[in-house]
Amino acid sequence: MKERFLQLERWTSGIAMVLACLMLAVASGLAVFQIVTRFVLEQPAEWSEVLIRFSLIWMVFLGIPMAFRQGAMVSVDALYRAMPDKLKRILDALAALAALILMIIVLWWGYDYAVRGSVQTMAGLEVLSMFWAYIAMPVGAVFAIIGIIANYLDPRRMELETAQ
């Protein structure tokens, strides 16, 4: 069961990371496009700034799950190093629980915010509803919850390994 869940997490985190990288590429490409149209052609495309913002929002919320999976949750490094080995697992459980509670709140209120924002449109790109920007919060939270649970089951403390 544990291995299957970790396999699911590897798959979901991989998808989230590929999409986050894609959103970064889209934002970068659109930024170059915006610079060319604004300063070279002197014909700014107002929709490009909206899409840059949109893609950056998605990039952040799709990148968060990988950070959680790599153990970059609430950092309690000094306390973790000072604790006896028996108590370290309790600290892991508390950090995971706190992160899960936060992500459940983001999921709940993010979905509510997305539904409420579905009647809004994006200035400069009126064909898209704000729902598509706001829904990044609950989607990212679902991926993050999977990453938090996976990190508890199979801890990775990459920030502790590289800390000085």
Side-chain angles (χ1 to χ4, degrees), residues 30 33 45-52 123-125:
L30 286 172
F33 175 77
E46 57 274 346
W47 57 267
S48 61
E49 185 175 334
V50 175
L51 283 181
I52 291 170
L125 197 60

Side-chain angles (χ1 to χ4, degrees), residues 2-164:
K2 176 181 169 181
E3 279 306 312
R4 286 193 180 208
F5 184 82
L6 292 174
Q7 190 175 25
L8 170 74
E9 179 277 325
R10 280 189 296 275
W11 185 75
T12 59
S13 290
I15 289 172
M17 203 59 189
V18 165
L19 292 173
C21 291
L22 180 65
M23 291 295 116
L24 176 61
V26 167
S28 300
L30 286 172
V32 169
F33 175 77
Q34 185 179 34
I35 289 168
V36 169
T37 59
R38 181 169 297 197
F39 297 110
V40 176
L41 303 177
E42 295 180 3
Q43 294 286 324
E46 57 274 346
W47 57 267
S48 61
E49 185 175 334
V50 175
L51 283 181
I52 291 170
R53 214 174 314 137
F54 179 89
S55 61
L56 289 176
I57 291 167
W58 274 94
M59 180 194 69
V60 167
F61 281 99
L62 290 173
I64 289 171
M66 188 57 76
F68 277 121
R69 180 59 182 114
Q70 292 178 353
M73 290 186 268
V74 177
S75 186
V76 285
D77 298 348
L79 182 59
Y80 191 84
R81 290 180 182 149
M83 288 187 126
D85 287 340
K86 295 178 206 174
L87 296 178
K88 287 181 179 179
R89 200 64 181 147
I90 294 171
L91 183 60
D92 286 341
L94 290 174
L97 182 63
L100 281 172
I101 290 169
L102 175 64
M103 287 299 111
I104 289 169
I105 291 169
V106 169
L107 174 67
W108 179 269
W109 290 107
Y111 180 75
D112 182 60
Y113 201 63
V115 170
R116 289 174 191 248
S118 65
V119 296
Q120 295 175 315
T121 59
M122 297 181 185
L125 197 60
E126 286 78 18
V127 296
L128 281 180
S129 165
M130 286 300 289
F131 173 85
W132 297 108
Y134 296 148
I135 200 70
M137 291 184 287
V139 169
V142 168
F143 283 116
I145 287 169
I146 295 169
I148 293 165
I149 294 168
N151 190 61
Y152 180 75
L153 295 174
D154 180 32
R156 295 182 185 169
R157 291 181 181 80
M158 294 185 167
E159 84 283 355
L160 284 177
E161 293 168 7
T162 59
Q164 302 208 10

